[in-house]
Amino acid sequence: MRIVISRISSHLFVLLHRHTQPPSLSREDCATMTSRVGPRTASTNGNDFKYREKVAPHYQMSASLKSEVRKLNWVHLLIWLLVAAQVTVSHLNLVSQDTVSIPYQWEYPYLLSLIPLLCSSLSLPKNNISYLVISMISAGLFSVAPLIYGGMEMFPVAQQLYRHGKAYRFIFGVSAVTVMYLIMVVAVQVHAWQIYYMKKLLDSWFDATQEKKKK
């Protein structure tokens, strides 16, 4: 009798163990669970990760505008180096004035355009509004104003070259007024875009500051 009872209890234990053990999953079930098309709660469609990855628009704009300002700063630096090279070579008499002529008057104040360039570069890493405002104001004074003056200064010389074909200043055999006008055309566009992008960048930083204050 004891043997029969022990056998019945062992069979019951096996049956209970089978029913309580979780069912094994097939490869298809595993793939379904790991995929986005498998069963999920009704409160999500599997795309809720996009909310966590969303970046505020003004931060995206700030990064894009910073990239544009940096590119323009490099072109500005190249123009500044060309003007500075002519002034330095002429004043140190490194070559004859027939090879590199003496600078025009507008080139001297234009050398101060290094100030807005430095302020702009310093403002970008930490979103410094003060440096950016100084850069915008000084760009008008030391970058744009000398170019406007230079256009008026060189206009009679350019007019004489166009009408009579006479030139008195040369840079490596090319008329100096022609070379400087080409540099001036590029510089005007660079500084105009610099001021435009810096204004947009300043607005973006103000928006970010206002949003932080609201929080």
Side-chain angles (χ1 to χ4, degrees), residues 69-180:
V69 172
R70 286 191 181 98
K71 293 176 185 177
L72 291 169
N73 284 349
W74 281 110
V75 181
H76 180 182
L77 180 61
L78 178 61
I79 296 171
W80 185 89
L81 289 174
L82 291 174
V83 175
Q86 185 196 3
V87 173
T88 303
V89 168
S90 175
H91 280 277
L92 296 180
N93 294 322
L94 299 178
V95 295
S96 65
Q97 292 185 357
D98 294 334
T99 304
V100 177
S101 68
I102 58 175
Y104 290 97
Q105 292 182 1
W106 69 268
E107 297 180 55
Y108 297 103
Y110 184 79
L111 294 178
L112 296 175
S113 67
L114 190 63
I115 296 174
L117 178 61
L118 292 175
C119 291
S120 174
S121 301
L122 291 173
S123 70
L124 298 180
K126 295 185 178 180
N127 296 1
N128 192 304
I129 294 177
S130 300
Y131 277 127
L132 192 64
V133 172
I134 294 173
S135 178
M136 292 177 61
I137 296 173
S138 57
L141 294 174
F142 304 133
S143 299
V144 178
L147 292 175
I148 295 174
Y149 175 76
M152 294 186 294
E153 178 190 4
M154 296 190 303
F155 181 75
V157 182
Q159 192 176 28
Q160 186 177 13
L161 177 65
Y162 175 75
R163 289 182 177 180
H164 306 289
K166 294 182 179 180
Y168 302 99
R169 299 184 183 184
F170 296 92
I171 297 177
F172 296 108
V174 182
S175 171
V177 69
T178 303
V179 174
M180 300 315 295

Side-chain angles (χ1 to χ4, degrees), residues 198-209:
M198 285 192 291
K199 176 60 171 60
K200 298 284 287 184
L201 188 59
L202 188 63
D203 293 339
S204 176
W205 290 353
F206 271 126
D207 291 342
T209 304

Side-chain angles (χ1 to χ4, degrees), residues 38-54:
R40 60 178 67 90
T41 60
S43 62
T44 177
N45 62 353
N47 292 323
D48 58 333
F49 67 93
K50 291 183 179 179
Y51 175 78
R52 295 191 297 271
E53 294 180 354
K54 186 177 180 181

